[in-house]
């Protein structure tokens, strides 16, 4: 049962790939590697649904004894007021209060429960999509989430699973986008040489940045065209916007570049005020 949902807590799995032609975004966990890790720690398939919390965490109680794991952004974690370690499997007795504390760095934390969260799937996924409204709504106090049957046991004991750090500036590799040719050398150099701050207006749809303006050499507006995860769109004001998992499937501003998929977890964990910098990568470095 949800005791306290926090700022924004949602059910997420790995999303709805392959439906963009129907105007359905992929959605799913903003930091999918963290959800995959949490699921592995409790013996779930990586595709199982869990809970994604935002900044302030959440408090929950289970109605049955289950293994749980919390991964993602670092922060305090406790069971019935007693501190426990994140990034490891924990046996949580029924009725005990699990407190997922505020993220100390980063934004999003992930709770996996053995058996997974078994809300009804929509279009093949249990993910909550904030833009389209597809999937379950954000968690609310007093809500009870159904759990699936346990399919296995946690793997061999892990003291603490290793996780990449979130300290310092966030560096993002940037591949040339489909409208890269609408920007001159000065604009592309400004983007790579500038220091940007994450705006408070950021969410699961996109991360807005504030910093040196990036100015197109041609009219900024286009006919709407397809957008992908990690697209760096340049609106009329010249401030970059990085599309996250609940992004629209089309957009009318030019995309100067696309963040390398291996760096998107950093975007998902970028919190307001964090510093973001870009470095251009050649197109051949795209993805294997």
């Amino acid at each position: 049962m949800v005791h306290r949902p926090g700022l924004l807590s949602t059910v997420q799995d790995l999303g709805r790939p392959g439906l963009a032609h129907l105007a359905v975004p992929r959605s799913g966990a903003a930091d999918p590697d963290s959800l995959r890790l949490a699921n592995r720690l409790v013996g779930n398939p990586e595709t199982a649904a869990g809970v994604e919390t935002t900044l302030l965490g959440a408090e929950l109680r289970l109605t049955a004894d289950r293994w749980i794991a919390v991964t993602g952004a670092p922060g305090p974690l406790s069971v019935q007021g007693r501190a426990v370690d994140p990034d490891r499997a924990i046996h949580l007795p029924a009725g005990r209060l699990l407190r997922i504390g505020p993220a100390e760095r980063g934004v999003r934390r992930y709770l996996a429960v053995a058996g997974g969260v078994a809300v009804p799937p929509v279009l093949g996924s249990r993910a909550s999509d904030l833009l389209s409204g597809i999937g379950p709504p954000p968690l609310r106090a007093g809500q009870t989430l159904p759990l699936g049957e346990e399919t296995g046991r946690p793997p061999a004991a892990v003291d603490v699973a290793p996780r990449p750090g979130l300290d310092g500036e966030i560096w993002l590799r940037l591949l040339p986008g489909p409208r890269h040719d609408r920007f001159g050398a000065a604009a592309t150099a400004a983007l790579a040489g500038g220091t940007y701050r994450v705006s408070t207006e950021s969410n699961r749809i996109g991360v807005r940045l504030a910093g040196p303006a990036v100015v197109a050499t041609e009219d900024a507006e286009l006919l709407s065209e397809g957008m992908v995860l990690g697209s760096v769109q340049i609106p009329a004001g010249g401030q970059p916007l990085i599309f996250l998992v609940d992004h629209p499937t089309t957009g009318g501003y030019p995309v100067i570049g696309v963040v390398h998929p291996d760096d998107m977890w950093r975007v998902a964990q970028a919190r307001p005020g964090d510093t973001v910098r870009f470095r251009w990568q050649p197109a051949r470095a795209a993805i294997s």
Side-chain angles (χ1 to χ4, degrees), residues 245-263:
V245 284
D246 287 353
H247 69 85
T249 54
T250 62
Y253 289 110
V255 173
I256 189 173
V258 178
V259 174
H260 194 290
D262 290 349
D263 290 348

Side-chain angles (χ1 to χ4, degrees), residues 2-66:
V2 179
H3 181 69
R4 183 182 63 84
L7 179 65
L8 173 67
S9 296
T10 56
V11 175
Q12 299 296 344
D13 55 18
L14 298 184
R16 302 179 179 84
L19 297 178
H21 65 293
L22 300 176
V24 177
R26 178 171 185 145
S27 191
D31 180 357
D33 286 347
S34 289
L35 178 60
R36 289 188 181 101
L37 173 60
N39 276 322
R40 291 197 304 271
L41 287 170
V42 298
N44 286 344
E46 291 187 348
T47 53
V51 173
E52 177 185 278
T53 69
T54 307
L55 285 174
L56 300 184
E59 295 178 1
L60 306 97
R61 298 180 192 270
L62 297 186
T63 56
D65 296 359
R66 291 290 174 101

Side-chain angles (χ1 to χ4, degrees), residues 100-285:
I100 303 171
E104 295 172 341
R105 298 184 303 281
V107 176
R108 296 177 171 90
R109 308 185 75 184
Y110 292 86
L111 166 67
V113 180
V117 177
V119 296
V122 178
L123 296 176
S125 169
R126 295 181 167 90
S128 174
D129 183 337
L130 300 184
L131 180 64
S132 69
I134 296 174
L139 272 55
R140 64 186 186 279
Q143 178 182 7
T144 299
L145 296 173
L147 298 177
E149 293 185 11
E150 296 178 80
T151 57
R153 300 285 294 174
V158 176
D159 287 337
V160 176
R163 296 284 294 141
L166 291 168
D167 294 329
E169 291 182 325
I170 299 171
W171 280 92
L172 302 174
R173 290 170 288 177
L174 194 60
L175 307 166
R179 297 299 176 180
H180 185 268
D181 58 355
R182 284 185 171 245
F183 299 87
T188 56
L191 183 61
T195 298
Y196 293 87
R197 296 282 181 182
V198 177
S199 166
T200 56
E201 297 177 5
S202 302
N203 52 31
R204 281 178 48 88
I205 297 168
V207 172
R208 294 184 179 274
L209 303 178
V214 180
V215 181
T217 55
E218 300 182 39
D219 184 6
E221 290 199 47
L222 303 162
L223 294 175
S224 290
E225 54 189 11
M227 295 288 155
V228 299
L229 178 68
S231 293
V232 179
Q233 191 183 67
I234 307 297
Q239 298 298 300
L241 166 65
I242 307 174
F243 277 142
L244 250 183
V245 284
D246 287 353
H247 69 85
T249 54
T250 62
Y253 289 110
V255 173
I256 189 173
V258 178
V259 174
H260 194 290
D262 290 349
D263 290 348
M264 282 304 298
W265 72 272
R266 301 178 187 276
V267 180
Q269 295 291 4
R271 62 194 291 155
D274 279 354
T275 300
V276 172
R277 301 194 67 180
F278 297 97
R279 58 166 62 97
W280 286 103
Q281 295 285 297
R284 64 179 179 276

